[in-house]
Amino acid sequence: MPAPIRLRELIRTIRTARTQAEEREMIQKECAAIRSSFREEDNTYRCRNVAKLLYMHMLGYPAHFGQLECLKLIASQKFTDKRIGYLGAMLLLDERQDVHLLMTNCIKNDLNHSTQYVQGLALCTLGCMGSSEMCRDLAGEVEKLLKTSNSYLRKKAALCAVHVIRKVPELMEMFLPATKNLLSEKNHGVLHTSVVLLTEMCERSPDMLAHFRKLVPQLVRILKNLIMSGYSPEHDVSGISDPFLQVRILRLLRILGKGDDDSSEAMNDILAQVATNTETSKNVGNAILYETVLTIMDIKSESGLRVLAINILGRFLLNNDKNIRYVALTSLLKTVQTDHNAVQRHRSTIVDCLKDLDVSIKRRAMELSFALVNGNNIRGMMKELLYFLDSCDPEFKADCASGVFLAAEKYAPSKRWHIDTIMRVLTTAGSYVRDDSVPNLIQLITNSVEMHAYTVQRLYKALLDDISQQPLVQVASWCIGEYGDLLVSGQCEEEEPIQVTEDEVLDVLEGLLVSNLSTPVTRGYALTAIMKLSTRFTSVNRIKKVVSIYGSSIDVELQQRAVEYNALFKKYDHMRPALLERMPIMEKTASNGPTEIVQTNGEAEPSVVEAKHPPPVTQPTNQANDLLDLLGGNDVVPVIQTTVPTKPASAGGELLDLLGDLSLSGIPPMTAYNKNGLKIDFTFERANPNPNIAVITIHASNSTEADMTDFVFQAAVPKTFQLQLLSPSSNVVPTLNQGTVTQVIRVLNPQKQQLRMRIKLTYTHKGSAVQDLAEVNNFPPQSWQ
Amino acid sequence: MQFMLLFSRQGKLRLQKWYVPLSDKEKKKITRELVQTVLARKPKMCSFLEWRDLKIVYKRYASLYFCCAIEDQDNELITLEIIHRYVELLDKYFGSVCELDIIFNFEKAYFILDEFLLGGEAQETSKKNVLKAIEQADLEKDSYNQRFVAENVRLSIL
């Protein structure tokens, strides 16, 4: 059998292959030759063959048949064999296979070999890929070598010990005695690896940490010597003495000083010294400064030192080197919570980083910018962030949009600004906003009552420009459905009102229905909006036509809606106005993230089938006139209209009756009105979860011998309150207290002012119409406090 | 450090050193993905990127990319220095090192790396000492061989 070809020869040959197939052929041929060579148990060429195998393995070809050969090489007496054998073991063997355990004995022998380079090989292999079983078996040998005077071996043993501890943490204790005088070594290699070992032990065990705190003075001294000593050619890197060791010591000091006053004080001076004296022109110096800053921020340093650290980071931000800027932004992000004011000083530099070309830097700058937004800088910051949103990569847009929403929610200086900001996000990054932003936004808009006209106008204009961004389209169609009447009436306080006809609005909405750009969800919104406009617009016939067309739509959801709306037109036309009335204020759960809307139908879908949802009405009672003028004869807008009861009178009424007698929240019930046989009692409960809303249930009872029919209850509150009246159980108050009419009032009292109410009652009694006004002032304090 | 990879601009692997236990399949997958990610970076971008839960530090020297995966608490800037130190060692050993040297002498590249780093951490911070150790170890091999040859000769005389 001819001698197997040399490694270099093989490499050269394989590189001449012009195609993948050719290469594969060569490799297969050589593998076959190597296999037969292995079978012949050829000692001379085993080393060469395994080396070739390792090359082929690096190219991506399977080489597991060489694993046992590596073990044979390790057991050989020749150093060259051992070298390749151990390399092969590190590349081909893996601790999941039992084969690797066969190495253990060889390693044990080699750890005690007469030649230090053989010992070194063993330590290196064990420290790189030793499994837990191997580590357990060999820890004793490693510990022995940790105490040797041979610095070449000692440094390797220290790192090997680190690996052992990582694999088998319980063995940490046995290395403790050997660490005693590790730091008194002069050899930098040993010092460096010792510091790594000490760091590992301190990170894993609080006891060790406490034990090693006493080393702080020694570490400080070593660091000081490194800085103060003159030029040492052996360890110099660009004028700095052994930066690797400096960085490791600083890291260990960080761990030792954290949470400990004395240690922190002991290292204060040296940290200040390093921070001020280190050369910053090259990466090396900055690496040390970076580690120093991290240490200063983590330990209990005095404020002057902390300011120094933040200023270093500030200088980093202005550095030409991208890497330095990146590192600065990362560190500032970590410290922004604790040293907020100091970081704020560098805000403008951070905002400039938003314009950087590098993706990682942009992302960091964005995160940091959001962290720095507060009530004072919101306007300026938002301008920058919105500009960033316009121009950034798609991967950022979703996060940026969410961040903008959150910040706007927390710090919006005015409702109009808030709505403008959200509009801006929707128009620029509309397709990237998260799904939950649509209901959140709708909820926000409903609550900004005075902005309805402005909002719907702006949204309408946005729709005219662009209907491709679904979240925007959905919010816009919902708003048009709700506030279309405001849109065509041309009343808008905030800006120039536009002239829009009903037909134009319907054109736009119908356009959404047919457009290819609209998703099924968007179409659903559009159809519902059109339907709602049937109570707000006069061109009902057109709407009826549209709705009936979609009764045969392929999309099941649209079809169902259209069919139900059709039914609404035909059979339940009397209910239509009630069902399609304005939405109430939606409660927001108090939280500081995307909030949950308590009202479940954020999309406003009263379906005919589900009759239990009462169509409530809100109109703000914040007119210029005070309460006392409101009900003076001319029924101005603020008076709340109750609607025709939609639920079957009996069921709802009885239920409410049952509850009406209980004082649900410990607030005592009260009699609000008692005249001419009509008595109206109020019972209270607090709305969960919003304590500012009081839920009052009125119970109207009739003690006369005749029914009171066409009974309507109306109420008005001062302008600091908001009122919502749900539909009554019935409009007949039966005679002789045989039953009660109940109705639920919800009062929003954010300023916790004393609750007052003016009520108006109209009914027909014994053939004549009766009307009465009354003031209710005797609310119990608990109902509004 | 969890691992170090050296690869060419065409994505060919020239050296792979793993300091964490992973199956061959996993290593291949990681290598493939990471190589793709790094090669896609534009020249002016910074040397750091976040990948899975690791920090990747990479630097290009001529036609070779040196890529290290470090953990959260490791210092990125000093890792750049470690990469640079390794390149200097290769340069001193091979005399003006180029990619071909590493291709044809990959086992030596590994030996040098193993004298500089152990278990992912630097074991020797002096360039001189690392090179001295390598030279001595190389001689070790030679002396073995010399002895072997000499003994052979003596025997043949007898």
mmCIF file of all heavy atoms in Angstrom, chain A residues 18 35 61 133 187 190 214 255 319 354 368 415 427 430 436-437 450 465 483 508 538 555 568 578 670 700 739 779:
data_model
loop_
_atom_site.group_PDB
_atom_site.id
_atom_site.type_symbol
_atom_site.label_atom_id
_atom_site.label_comp_id
_atom_site.label_asym_id
_atom_site.label_seq_id
_atom_site.Cartn_x
_atom_site.Cartn_y
_atom_site.Cartn_z
ATOM 1 N N ARG A 18 -13.215 21.975 -9.477
ATOM 2 C CA ARG A 18 -13.938 23.130 -10.007
ATOM 3 C C ARG A 18 -15.411 23.132 -9.623
ATOM 4 O O ARG A 18 -16.061 24.149 -9.660
ATOM 5 C CB ARG A 18 -13.802 23.176 -11.536
ATOM 6 C CG ARG A 18 -12.529 23.887 -11.976
ATOM 7 C CD ARG A 18 -12.163 23.549 -13.403
ATOM 8 N NE ARG A 18 -11.901 22.139 -13.570
ATOM 9 C CZ ARG A 18 -11.928 21.527 -14.754
ATOM 10 N NH1 ARG A 18 -12.173 22.201 -15.835
ATOM 11 N NH2 ARG A 18 -11.685 20.224 -14.832
ATOM 12 N N ARG A 35 -9.763 5.205 5.466
ATOM 13 C CA ARG A 35 -10.444 4.125 6.196
ATOM 14 C C ARG A 35 -9.639 2.848 6.154
ATOM 15 O O ARG A 35 -9.447 2.181 7.167
ATOM 16 C CB ARG A 35 -11.802 3.873 5.573
ATOM 17 C CG ARG A 35 -12.913 4.740 6.089
ATOM 18 C CD ARG A 35 -14.231 4.232 5.528
ATOM 19 N NE ARG A 35 -15.321 4.554 6.403
ATOM 20 C CZ ARG A 35 -16.233 5.499 6.179
ATOM 21 N NH1 ARG A 35 -16.174 6.218 5.089
ATOM 22 N NH2 ARG A 35 -17.204 5.716 7.031
ATOM 23 N N TYR A 61 -17.608 17.744 5.639
ATOM 24 C CA TYR A 61 -17.868 16.327 5.390
ATOM 25 C C TYR A 61 -17.803 15.524 6.680
ATOM 26 O O TYR A 61 -17.104 15.886 7.610
ATOM 27 C CB TYR A 61 -16.860 15.772 4.374
ATOM 28 C CG TYR A 61 -17.008 16.433 3.018
ATOM 29 C CD1 TYR A 61 -16.250 17.546 2.695
ATOM 30 C CD2 TYR A 61 -17.936 15.964 2.095
ATOM 31 C CE1 TYR A 61 -16.406 18.179 1.474
ATOM 32 C CE2 TYR A 61 -18.090 16.587 0.872
ATOM 33 C CZ TYR A 61 -17.336 17.697 0.561
ATOM 34 O OH TYR A 61 -17.499 18.322 -0.639
ATOM 35 N N GLU A 133 -18.333 14.469 33.825
ATOM 36 C CA GLU A 133 -17.734 13.254 34.393
ATOM 37 C C GLU A 133 -16.222 13.355 34.376
ATOM 38 O O GLU A 133 -15.541 13.047 35.353
ATOM 39 C CB GLU A 133 -18.152 12.006 33.600
ATOM 40 C CG GLU A 133 -19.629 11.715 33.619
ATOM 41 C CD GLU A 133 -20.331 12.311 32.398
ATOM 42 O OE1 GLU A 133 -19.822 13.301 31.829
ATOM 43 O OE2 GLU A 133 -21.381 11.791 32.033
ATOM 44 N N ASN A 187 4.033 36.862 37.248
ATOM 45 C CA ASN A 187 3.758 36.512 35.856
ATOM 46 C C ASN A 187 2.364 36.979 35.442
ATOM 47 O O ASN A 187 1.373 36.614 36.075
ATOM 48 C CB ASN A 187 3.889 34.993 35.709
ATOM 49 C CG ASN A 187 3.619 34.541 34.294
ATOM 50 O OD1 ASN A 187 2.541 34.717 33.768
ATOM 51 N ND2 ASN A 187 4.639 33.959 33.678
ATOM 52 N N VAL A 190 -0.322 34.263 34.672
ATOM 53 C CA VAL A 190 -0.928 33.676 35.859
ATOM 54 C C VAL A 190 -1.880 34.673 36.517
ATOM 55 O O VAL A 190 -2.978 34.317 36.950
ATOM 56 C CB VAL A 190 0.145 33.233 36.865
ATOM 57 C CG1 VAL A 190 -0.496 32.673 38.111
ATOM 58 C CG2 VAL A 190 1.060 32.202 36.230
ATOM 59 N N LYS A 214 -11.583 40.699 50.725
ATOM 60 C CA LYS A 214 -10.351 41.188 51.338
ATOM 61 C C LYS A 214 -9.228 41.377 50.320
ATOM 62 O O LYS A 214 -8.200 41.960 50.618
ATOM 63 C CB LYS A 214 -9.886 40.222 52.431
ATOM 64 C CG LYS A 214 -9.594 38.818 51.920
ATOM 65 C CD LYS A 214 -9.077 37.974 53.070
ATOM 66 C CE LYS A 214 -8.450 36.687 52.583
ATOM 67 N NZ LYS A 214 -9.395 35.572 52.490
ATOM 68 N N ILE A 255 -17.525 43.360 40.681
ATOM 69 C CA ILE A 255 -18.277 42.340 41.407
ATOM 70 C C ILE A 255 -18.046 42.454 42.901
ATOM 71 O O ILE A 255 -18.981 42.301 43.693
ATOM 72 C CB ILE A 255 -17.855 40.944 40.913
ATOM 73 C CG1 ILE A 255 -18.230 40.813 39.436
ATOM 74 C CG2 ILE A 255 -18.509 39.846 41.715
ATOM 75 C CD1 ILE A 255 -17.684 39.585 38.792
ATOM 76 N N ASN A 319 -17.525 60.260 19.618
ATOM 77 C CA ASN A 319 -16.348 59.659 18.988
ATOM 78 C C ASN A 319 -16.642 59.264 17.553
ATOM 79 O O ASN A 319 -17.740 58.858 17.224
ATOM 80 C CB ASN A 319 -15.956 58.417 19.808
ATOM 81 C CG ASN A 319 -14.547 57.950 19.511
ATOM 82 O OD1 ASN A 319 -14.191 57.730 18.367
ATOM 83 N ND2 ASN A 319 -13.755 57.829 20.550
ATOM 84 N N LEU A 354 -29.899 58.975 16.079
ATOM 85 C CA LEU A 354 -30.996 58.380 15.327
ATOM 86 C C LEU A 354 -30.736 58.455 13.834
ATOM 87 O O LEU A 354 -31.280 57.698 13.054
ATOM 88 C CB LEU A 354 -32.318 59.102 15.639
ATOM 89 C CG LEU A 354 -32.976 58.792 16.978
ATOM 90 C CD1 LEU A 354 -34.146 59.730 17.205
ATOM 91 C CD2 LEU A 354 -33.453 57.355 17.026
ATOM 92 N N LEU A 368 -33.105 54.342 23.697
ATOM 93 C CA LEU A 368 -32.673 55.323 24.678
ATOM 94 C C LEU A 368 -33.532 56.582 24.604
ATOM 95 O O LEU A 368 -33.907 57.150 25.624
ATOM 96 C CB LEU A 368 -31.203 55.655 24.433
ATOM 97 C CG LEU A 368 -30.415 56.275 25.569
ATOM 98 C CD1 LEU A 368 -30.632 55.531 26.851
ATOM 99 C CD2 LEU A 368 -28.945 56.295 25.207
ATOM 100 N N LYS A 415 -54.954 67.252 24.240
ATOM 101 C CA LYS A 415 -55.657 66.208 23.507
ATOM 102 C C LYS A 415 -55.455 66.365 22.022
ATOM 103 O O LYS A 415 -55.260 65.391 21.296
ATOM 104 C CB LYS A 415 -57.162 66.291 23.807
ATOM 105 C CG LYS A 415 -57.542 65.741 25.158
ATOM 106 C CD LYS A 415 -58.661 64.731 25.044
ATOM 107 C CE LYS A 415 -58.754 63.869 26.272
ATOM 108 N NZ LYS A 415 -59.746 64.349 27.229
ATOM 109 N N THR A 427 -50.523 57.769 9.457
ATOM 110 C CA THR A 427 -50.339 58.068 8.045
ATOM 111 C C THR A 427 -48.937 57.719 7.565
ATOM 112 O O THR A 427 -48.748 57.397 6.408
ATOM 113 C CB THR A 427 -50.614 59.570 7.743
ATOM 114 O OG1 THR A 427 -49.942 60.350 8.719
ATOM 115 C CG2 THR A 427 -52.090 59.873 7.786
ATOM 116 N N GLY A 430 -48.514 53.516 8.994
ATOM 117 C CA GLY A 430 -49.784 52.869 9.245
ATOM 118 C C GLY A 430 -49.769 51.365 9.162
ATOM 119 O O GLY A 430 -50.388 50.692 9.973
ATOM 120 N N ASP A 436 -53.322 45.954 18.332
ATOM 121 C CA ASP A 436 -54.103 46.481 19.446
ATOM 122 C C ASP A 436 -54.174 48.001 19.436
ATOM 123 O O ASP A 436 -54.895 48.605 20.209
ATOM 124 C CB ASP A 436 -53.544 45.999 20.790
ATOM 125 C CG ASP A 436 -52.116 46.455 20.994
ATOM 126 O OD1 ASP A 436 -51.538 47.092 20.089
ATOM 127 O OD2 ASP A 436 -51.564 46.165 22.064
ATOM 128 N N SER A 437 -53.426 48.621 18.525
ATOM 129 C CA SER A 437 -53.452 50.076 18.531
ATOM 130 C C SER A 437 -54.771 50.607 17.989
ATOM 131 O O SER A 437 -55.190 51.704 18.350
ATOM 132 C CB SER A 437 -52.304 50.639 17.703
ATOM 133 O OG SER A 437 -52.378 50.119 16.405
ATOM 134 N N GLU A 450 -64.497 66.618 22.946
ATOM 135 C CA GLU A 450 -64.522 67.898 22.254
ATOM 136 C C GLU A 450 -63.750 67.861 20.945
ATOM 137 O O GLU A 450 -63.817 68.786 20.151
ATOM 138 C CB GLU A 450 -63.952 68.998 23.164
ATOM 139 C CG GLU A 450 -62.494 68.830 23.519
ATOM 140 C CD GLU A 450 -62.265 67.846 24.656
ATOM 141 O OE1 GLU A 450 -63.213 67.120 25.025
ATOM 142 O OE2 GLU A 450 -61.130 67.774 25.166
ATOM 143 N N ASP A 465 -56.616 60.777 0.799
ATOM 144 C CA ASP A 465 -55.268 60.657 0.237
ATOM 145 C C ASP A 465 -54.858 59.219 -0.014
ATOM 146 O O ASP A 465 -54.218 58.911 -1.002
ATOM 147 C CB ASP A 465 -54.238 61.259 1.213
ATOM 148 C CG ASP A 465 -54.210 62.764 1.098
ATOM 149 O OD1 ASP A 465 -54.491 63.258 0.000
ATOM 150 O OD2 ASP A 465 -53.901 63.417 2.109
ATOM 151 N N TYR A 483 -69.252 59.753 13.819
ATOM 152 C CA TYR A 483 -69.383 61.210 13.844
ATOM 153 C C TYR A 483 -69.630 61.798 12.462
ATOM 154 O O TYR A 483 -69.342 62.968 12.227
ATOM 155 C CB TYR A 483 -68.104 61.831 14.440
ATOM 156 C CG TYR A 483 -67.675 61.177 15.729
ATOM 157 C CD1 TYR A 483 -66.431 60.562 15.828
ATOM 158 C CD2 TYR A 483 -68.514 61.146 16.837
ATOM 159 C CE1 TYR A 483 -66.044 59.946 17.005
ATOM 160 C CE2 TYR A 483 -68.126 60.531 18.016
ATOM 161 C CZ TYR A 483 -66.893 59.929 18.090
ATOM 162 O OH TYR A 483 -66.499 59.316 19.243
ATOM 163 N N VAL A 508 -66.776 57.520 -0.355
ATOM 164 C CA VAL A 508 -65.499 57.075 0.225
ATOM 165 C C VAL A 508 -65.668 55.722 0.905
ATOM 166 O O VAL A 508 -64.878 54.796 0.700
ATOM 167 C CB VAL A 508 -64.966 58.121 1.227
ATOM 168 C CG1 VAL A 508 -63.807 57.564 2.025
ATOM 169 C CG2 VAL A 508 -64.539 59.381 0.494
ATOM 170 N N THR A 538 -79.346 61.705 5.835
ATOM 171 C CA THR A 538 -80.714 61.637 5.323
ATOM 172 C C THR A 538 -80.837 60.669 4.155
ATOM 173 O O THR A 538 -81.914 60.192 3.855
ATOM 174 C CB THR A 538 -81.177 63.023 4.858
ATOM 175 O OG1 THR A 538 -80.204 63.530 3.939
ATOM 176 C CG2 THR A 538 -81.320 63.969 6.043
ATOM 177 N N ASP A 555 -67.843 36.932 1.229
ATOM 178 C CA ASP A 555 -67.239 36.979 2.549
ATOM 179 C C ASP A 555 -68.329 36.755 3.595
ATOM 180 O O ASP A 555 -69.275 37.528 3.708
ATOM 181 C CB ASP A 555 -66.595 38.367 2.727
ATOM 182 C CG ASP A 555 -65.904 38.501 4.068
ATOM 183 O OD1 ASP A 555 -66.259 37.776 5.023
ATOM 184 O OD2 ASP A 555 -65.009 39.341 4.169
ATOM 185 N N LEU A 568 -82.616 44.890 10.054
ATOM 186 C CA LEU A 568 -82.830 46.088 10.861
ATOM 187 C C LEU A 568 -83.685 47.082 10.111
ATOM 188 O O LEU A 568 -84.577 47.740 10.661
ATOM 189 C CB LEU A 568 -81.462 46.691 11.190
ATOM 190 C CG LEU A 568 -81.367 47.621 12.393
ATOM 191 C CD1 LEU A 568 -81.959 47.001 13.621
ATOM 192 C CD2 LEU A 568 -79.914 47.963 12.637
ATOM 193 N N ALA A 578 -82.146 53.586 17.966
ATOM 194 C CA ALA A 578 -81.617 53.285 19.290
ATOM 195 C C ALA A 578 -80.316 52.492 19.191
ATOM 196 O O ALA A 578 -79.334 52.784 19.864
ATOM 197 C CB ALA A 578 -82.657 52.483 20.062
ATOM 198 N N MET A 670 -80.933 56.336 48.490
ATOM 199 C CA MET A 670 -81.593 57.567 48.897
ATOM 200 C C MET A 670 -82.840 57.786 48.052
ATOM 201 O O MET A 670 -82.957 57.237 46.949
ATOM 202 C CB MET A 670 -80.648 58.751 48.707
ATOM 203 C CG MET A 670 -80.158 58.832 47.277
ATOM 204 S SD MET A 670 -79.122 60.245 46.976
ATOM 205 C CE MET A 670 -80.334 61.379 46.359
ATOM 206 N N ALA A 700 -88.240 53.780 39.976
ATOM 207 C CA ALA A 700 -89.413 54.660 40.009
ATOM 208 C C ALA A 700 -90.628 53.812 40.360
ATOM 209 O O ALA A 700 -90.912 52.803 39.708
ATOM 210 C CB ALA A 700 -89.598 55.311 38.643
ATOM 211 N N GLY A 739 -94.865 47.406 40.684
ATOM 212 C CA GLY A 739 -93.569 47.157 40.029
ATOM 213 C C GLY A 739 -92.825 48.469 39.941
ATOM 214 O O GLY A 739 -93.371 49.534 40.221
ATOM 215 N N PHE A 779 -77.186 63.641 47.744
ATOM 216 C CA PHE A 779 -76.396 62.441 47.498
ATOM 217 C C PHE A 779 -75.526 62.150 48.708
ATOM 218 O O PHE A 779 -74.897 63.055 49.262
ATOM 219 C CB PHE A 779 -75.487 62.640 46.285
ATOM 220 C CG PHE A 779 -76.211 62.573 44.986
ATOM 221 C CD1 PHE A 779 -76.710 63.717 44.385
ATOM 222 C CD2 PHE A 779 -76.405 61.348 44.362
ATOM 223 C CE1 PHE A 779 -77.386 63.648 43.193
ATOM 224 C CE2 PHE A 779 -77.085 61.273 43.160
ATOM 225 C CZ PHE A 779 -77.584 62.416 42.568
#
